[in-house]
Structures are given as C-alpha cells and as structure tokens.
Amino acid sequence: MPDRRKVTVLGAGVAGLAVARALALRGAEVTVLEQAPEIREVGAGLQISPNGTRVLEALGLGAAFAAGSQPAEAVELLDGEAGGRVLRLDLTRGWPGAQFRFVHRADLVDLLADGARAAGVAIRLLQRVETVTLGNHPPRLRTAANEEIECEVLIGADGLHSKVRAALNGVATPFFTGQVAWRATLPEAGGLPPVARVYMGAGRHLVTYPLRGGQLRNIVAVEERGRWAEESWSLTDDPLTLRVAFERFVPEVRGWLDRIERPNLWGLFRHPVAPRWQGQGAAILGDAAHPTLPFLAQGANMALEDAWVLADCLSRAAPGAALPAYQARREARVRRIVEAANANARNYHLSGIRRDIAHAGLRLAGRFAPGRVLDRFDWVYGHDVTA
C-alpha cells in the first residue's frame, strides 16, 4: 500500500470487515467505525458460493471458515404444494478449489472481525455517524457525540441506508416489491442433510438448509402480498400469519412453521444500483452500492468480491485513479447479478399452467442434462476476483 495509506471504514458487517482486513494485509492503516456497542449480527444463515469462498481463502481465512461452516452438497427445487422433487443440482462438481458452504451470519462476522483485528485493524464501537461531507477537501464525518473526523480515504460499508452513498448520489427512494420475507432458525438434533431445499408454490416459496453442523435449521419464507411491510431486519411477526400463508404446503413444511414462535419479518424493497460508487476520496461497497434481493444468495458473496477488488485497486494506485477503476471492474457484473436475482423471484412463484410447464421442463432437464442447468450459473460461481 503506497505511503501507509490511512483508510476509514464505516460499518462492521461482512463488507466492512472484509475490506478492512484486505487493506490491512496490503499495508494500510485501517480504522473501522461501528455504531453498535458490540459487533453482532442478528441475521441467520448465509450461502457462500465458490466465488465468495475464494475471497476468504485469499484473505488467509480459509481454514477458519471451513471449521466454522459446513459444505453444501446440493440444491433441490420441490413442489411445495403437491410434493415431489422438481430438480436436484449437485454442488460438489466443478469449480475446483472452492466449495459451496452454509454458515451462520454471526459466525462469519465473528471470523472476519477476528481476522481484521489480527491484521492490525482498529475497530471503534459506539461510533454513530450522523453526517458525511464530501467536497474539495478530504471526506469529513460528524458523529452523534459531535466529534468531527477527517479521513484520508473513506469507505462506506454502511448498508442499505448508507450515508456515504447519499453523500455521493443523493437520497434514492426504493420501491416495495410486493413481497415480504420471514426468517427463523429452529434447533435440530443434527443429522440434517447438507442440502438447500426450495419449496415452491403459487405466489410464495420457502428455503431451508442446515447450519452449525445440522444443529440449526435455517428458514426463509417469502410471500407476495399487496400490503406494505417495513424494510427492517428487526421486526417480528405473529407466527400464525406465517402459518396461514403456507397452509397449503406439504406437511413437513407446516410442521417446521408450527415450531416457530417469533419469526422475523421484513419487506423486500428494490433499490437501484448506485450510479456513483466513488468520488472525492470516498467509495461504497456491498449493500451500500448495490442492494440485491435474496433470490440468488449473492449478497454476502458480492460484498466479499467488492472488498477484494477495492483493496486491490487501492494497493495499485492513488485514490483518484484507484476508486474509478474499482467501480469499472465491478459494476457490470453486479448489475447482471441483481437482475438474475429479480428473475428468480418470479420463477419461484409461478402458478397454474405456467408453473406446470416450467416444472415439467425442469424435471426433463434434471433427468437428461442436470449438469447443463448448473452450467448456466458458471458466470456467477466460476468467477474469481482473486486470480
């Protein structure tokens, strides 16, 4: 890193901690500002695909990540209403040197926080940033405690409601997709197969897979509805509402939902990809730059990819050249992934004759050419930003 560059990162989530470690390993002096009193994640499961696993390996965290996660063997698409498998995709083939893995979000954040500290990153808690000012001067922050901080380089990893994004682009108004999602984890006795299962139905679907060696079952259930739900990770809902939404699903799904006592609920909103990811000594990454719907399981993976590329660009050139290069290297890929996730939302929720036709086609493909179905996603999983 030229001149022991000083970098300030807003946010201690996956994106912020990954970019902090990546920069520190290259010689930068990195400070992470986190508004919470401790580093913690309230989320549940994540699917880390080979493109994300490669970044964790390159960050020197591969062994620790393998110890704290579990390999994913397959994805199965099932008819949630009538029962029966529609398609099984084998995740153990292809993409040498990298695996699909299931991990609890809190475990990944803990791993990245430990890795950042080990690389020399300073993490300051209880740092709620109220304003970000960019202009013909170094980036400036003002905290809730009225402290003013001037930054040599500022990186916004501050999520959906990013203040750094707003400083670069103005405030954008997202729109409600007409979909809400519940999420929960259930304790299990272990022995769950290492498979992600997607139960599809008219206007709704449910995804489940094991966490922590099968000691937990992760559940995400999505329903189309006209009623608006707040965009938040901390709302809870009446479990009866969730059960009613999936009352026509197969008994095993209904059995899981009967055990959920306090489901989290959030409305799914579409945010535009930010036009400007950088400028005036600042840059954004992850959800701050390109929030994506969860239907391709690429949010955390894109954050990891962004972190690696941004750190690589800053290690090669001064910020005036490095930051535009970062956006140029990432933007087209990210936009394609966001659109693919949007398309998956529609495909999971088909009804009537369209669903019958689509499921018949998937069953035929699974019987005669299962590898070709997964090959359609090679552009996602085979990509290696560390190469």
Side-chain angles (χ1 to χ4, degrees):
M1 184 71 63
D3 304 322
R4 185 67 177 167
R5 185 167 295 141
K6 295 182 179 180
V7 181
T8 303
V9 178
L10 293 194
V14 172
L17 294 170
V19 77
R21 177 171 169 88
L23 286 164
L25 290 176
R26 289 167 169 82
E29 184 178 327
V30 185
T31 301
V32 175
L33 304 181
E34 168 57 41
Q35 65 180 353
E38 59 182 343
I39 294 180
R40 53 184 170 80
E41 266 295 341
V42 297
L46 292 173
Q47 299 176 59
I48 303 299
S49 49
N51 50 308
T53 305
R54 291 187 186 95
V55 176
L56 293 168
E57 289 278 357
L59 288 174
L61 301 174
F65 177 62
S69 61
Q70 67 183 105
E73 183 179 288
V75 172
E76 292 182 346
L77 305 184
L78 302 107
D79 189 323
E81 297 172 354
R85 182 192 294 169
V86 177
L87 179 68
R88 179 183 171 92
L89 300 175
D90 180 6
L91 300 180
T92 63
R93 70 120 184 107
W95 306 297
Q99 290 182 313
F100 286 84
R101 301 191 73 88
F102 302 135
V103 65
H104 198 292
R105 183 185 292 270
D107 296 342
L108 179 59
V109 168
D110 286 347
L111 169 70
L112 290 168
D114 290 344
R117 290 189 178 102
V121 174
I123 300 177
R124 294 178 59 190
L125 304 175
L126 292 170
Q127 300 297 307
R128 182 178 183 85
V129 172
E130 296 287 355
T131 61
V132 174
T133 304
L134 305 177
N136 295 321
H137 53 72
R140 293 172 185 159
L141 312 176
R142 185 171 292 279
T143 71
N146 208 33
E147 178 186 5
E148 186 167 298
I149 301 172
E150 187 170 281
C151 311
E152 184 176 331
V153 178
L154 172 64
I155 296 177
D158 45 344
L160 290 173
H161 307 293
S162 168
K163 287 183 167 57
V164 184
R165 173 180 171 137
L168 286 167
N169 296 276
V171 177
T173 302
F175 69 87
F176 181 48
T177 63
Q179 297 170 326
V180 297
W182 294 270
R183 56 186 174 80
T185 56
L186 291 172
E188 297 285 358
L192 297 180
V195 175
R197 290 186 168 133
V198 183
Y199 292 81
M200 302 176 292
R204 68 209 69 221
H205 77 279
L206 180 144
V207 180
T208 183
Y209 52 87
L211 294 172
R212 293 178 174 166
Q215 299 302 308
L216 289 177
R217 176 184 297 279
N218 189 66
I219 291 176
V220 179
V222 177
E223 178 196 29
E224 295 178 5
R225 62 160 70 164
R227 300 188 307 279
W228 175 85
E230 183 179 348
E231 187 179 33
S232 170
W233 285 89
S234 57
L235 295 178
T236 57
D237 196 23
D238 185 340
L240 182 60
T241 306
L242 170 57
R243 293 166 194 156
V244 169
F246 289 84
E247 63 185 355
R248 296 183 179 179
F249 269 45
V250 293
E252 63 182 346
V253 169
R254 299 200 308 269
W256 300 328
L257 301 186
D258 284 344
R259 296 168 53 199
I260 295 175
E261 297 178 355
R262 193 176 169 85
N264 290 104
L265 171 71
W266 82 102
L268 299 182
F269 287 72
R270 283 186 62 179
H271 297 249
V273 175
R276 295 183 65 201
W277 298 19
Q278 53 77 37
Q280 299 172 312
I284 50 178
L285 77 166
D287 282 348
H290 46 77
T292 181
L293 294 176
F295 304 128
L296 197 60
Q298 284 298 299
N301 293 289
M302 289 298 94
L304 291 169
E305 287 190 7
D306 285 352
W308 182 270
V309 173
L310 178 52
D312 182 61
C313 289
L314 281 169
S315 72
R316 296 173 183 270
L323 300 183
Y326 153 67
Q327 181 170 352
R329 284 172 59 177
R330 295 294 298 151
E331 186 173 7
R333 171 169 170 79
V334 163
R335 287 185 180 277
R336 188 178 178 190
I337 284 175
V338 168
E339 288 307 312
N342 295 340
N344 261 9
R346 296 187 292 269
N347 296 337
Y348 287 159
H349 295 177
L350 297 175
S351 61
I353 188 66
R354 293 179 63 206
R355 181 178 67 172
D356 294 341
I357 293 171
H359 285 195
L362 288 172
R363 286 188 174 99
L364 284 172
R367 181 177 178 182
F368 295 109
R372 294 186 63 183
V373 178
L374 203 53
D375 286 345
R376 292 175 53 200
F377 296 96
D378 186 63
W379 65 275
V380 179
Y381 308 136
H383 193 70
D384 185 0
V385 295
T386 73

